[in-house]
Amino acid sequence: MRIIVTDSYEEMSKVAARIVAGQLYLKPNSVLGLATGSTPEGMYANLVKVHQSVGLDFSEVISFNLDEYIGLDKENEQSYYYFMHKHLFDHVNIKPENIHIPNGNPENLEEECKKYDKLIEAKGGIDLQVLGIGQNAHIGFNEPDIKFEATTHKVKLDEETIKANSRFFENEEDVPKYAISMGIKTIMLAKKIILLASGKNKAEAIYKAVYGSVRPDAPASILQLHQDVVVIVDKDAASLLPEKDKKVFVK
């Protein structure tokens, strides 16, 4: 596990974008696992800039999103389908048929989950998975005490997660209570993972992910067992890490 500490959210976003762009330059037909939420917004903005300025090519890229709320239509501004198109897909040359986002309104939820994992496998697996982290150390929507062997599945969101996500909705009551999410097993099958975090409210979660015991009540701790993880955090999110981990500052 490599830890990169930056001075700011803006620098964190640039570093993350450089890693994703590098992946696409080395392998134009990369399979990307993508995350939503406020943390990766800056990374997506930087990728759009690179695409528009020097032609970073997304034409062969295949993407799989981590999760989607259950019960929201695609056109809903709080759906992750809407988020991804607003922040990335509508601004780069990715082919619509190569975009995969869990269906939050499937006829058969169990079959939808199985189909999603089978499709990832059929495309050769995820080359680079982007993750954010919740204040309770969840990744994707895998809440504390989730089974590590879980593949894509239905998740009941914790009250802490619902409260955190309520900032995107008019009222906390409007936040969906369930989501469909890649499971820990699906995430861990990715060849490379980058974990992003910004702000002091993520410091404890980052400490648990990097130094805590590997256990289900801190889902991100499982990343310690992955062979290729890069943790990219600003100095606030890194504030609880030992001093030896704070020396890799990117200016």
Side-chain angles (χ1 to χ4, degrees):
M1 183 179 285
R2 182 186 178 203
I3 301 170
I4 299 175
V5 181
T6 68
D7 275 334
S8 65
Y9 171 81
E10 289 73 23
E11 286 299 322
M12 180 207 75
S13 300
K14 290 178 182 178
V15 172
R18 285 200 291 267
I19 291 176
V20 176
Q23 173 70 35
L24 300 193
Y25 284 127
L26 291 172
K27 187 181 179 185
N29 63 340
S30 289
V31 179
L32 299 181
L34 300 177
T36 54
S38 56
T39 302
E41 280 187 24
M43 180 193 73
Y44 292 138
N46 277 279
L47 287 171
V48 170
K49 287 180 183 178
V50 177
H51 168 73
Q52 294 175 342
S53 61
V54 298
L56 178 64
D57 187 15
F58 285 79
S59 64
E60 297 181 63
V61 170
I62 298 171
S63 72
F64 287 92
N65 261 75
L66 272 170
D67 41 35
E68 178 61 282
Y69 286 121
I70 290 176
L72 292 189
D73 293 330
K74 292 179 178 179
E75 294 75 19
N76 189 300
E77 292 185 4
Q78 302 307 328
S79 75
Y80 291 152
Y81 178 96
Y82 187 97
F83 176 99
M84 290 305 306
H85 281 269
K86 176 182 178 181
H87 292 286
L88 181 65
F89 297 151
D90 287 351
H91 310 288
V92 298
N93 62 331
I94 190 169
K95 295 176 181 177
E97 62 267 27
N98 287 345
I99 295 170
H100 304 287
I101 300 173
N103 180 3
N105 289 291
E107 291 184 8
N108 186 314
L109 184 59
E110 185 176 346
E111 286 302 314
E112 171 68 18
C113 294
K114 291 179 180 178
K115 183 174 70 173
Y116 204 67
D117 282 319
K118 287 180 180 178
L119 187 56
I120 293 173
E121 184 179 357
K123 298 299 183 181
I126 292 172
D127 293 303
L128 174 61
Q129 176 67 60
V130 179
L131 297 175
I133 187 170
Q135 293 183 43
N136 61 2
H138 75 233
I139 47 177
F141 269 133
N142 295 286
E143 302 286 19
D145 294 323
I146 197 73
K147 293 181 179 179
F148 281 153
E149 66 268 24
T151 52
T152 301
H153 61 300
K154 177 182 178 180
V155 179
K156 186 179 187 301
L157 304 185
D158 280 5
E159 288 302 318
E160 185 176 350
T161 300
I162 292 172
K163 185 175 182 179
N165 288 357
S166 66
R167 68 189 187 277
F168 301 116
F169 294 80
E170 287 189 16
N171 302 293
E172 187 172 322
E173 294 74 24
D174 296 332
V175 183
K177 305 301 186 289
Y178 294 90
I180 179 172
S181 176
M182 283 187 198
I184 296 295
K185 182 177 180 180
T186 305
I187 291 170
M188 290 293 285
L189 288 173
K191 300 175 182 69
K192 182 181 184 70
I193 295 173
I194 59 174
L195 175 66
L196 312 179
S198 173
K200 286 191 175 181
N201 63 324
K202 297 294 180 71
E204 184 176 354
I206 285 296
Y207 182 87
K208 289 179 179 179
V210 176
Y211 282 105
S213 301
V214 177
R215 57 191 193 187
D217 63 355
S221 64
I222 192 68
L223 298 177
Q224 296 174 38
L225 304 182
H226 194 280
Q227 63 180 358
D228 192 357
V229 176
V230 180
V231 178
I232 310 169
V233 291
D234 66 10
K235 58 187 179 183
D236 287 336
S239 60
L240 296 182
L241 297 180
E243 288 301 318
K244 67 182 180 66
D245 290 327
K246 299 178 185 179
K247 63 184 179 181
V248 190
F249 275 83
V250 177
K251 299 291 185 181

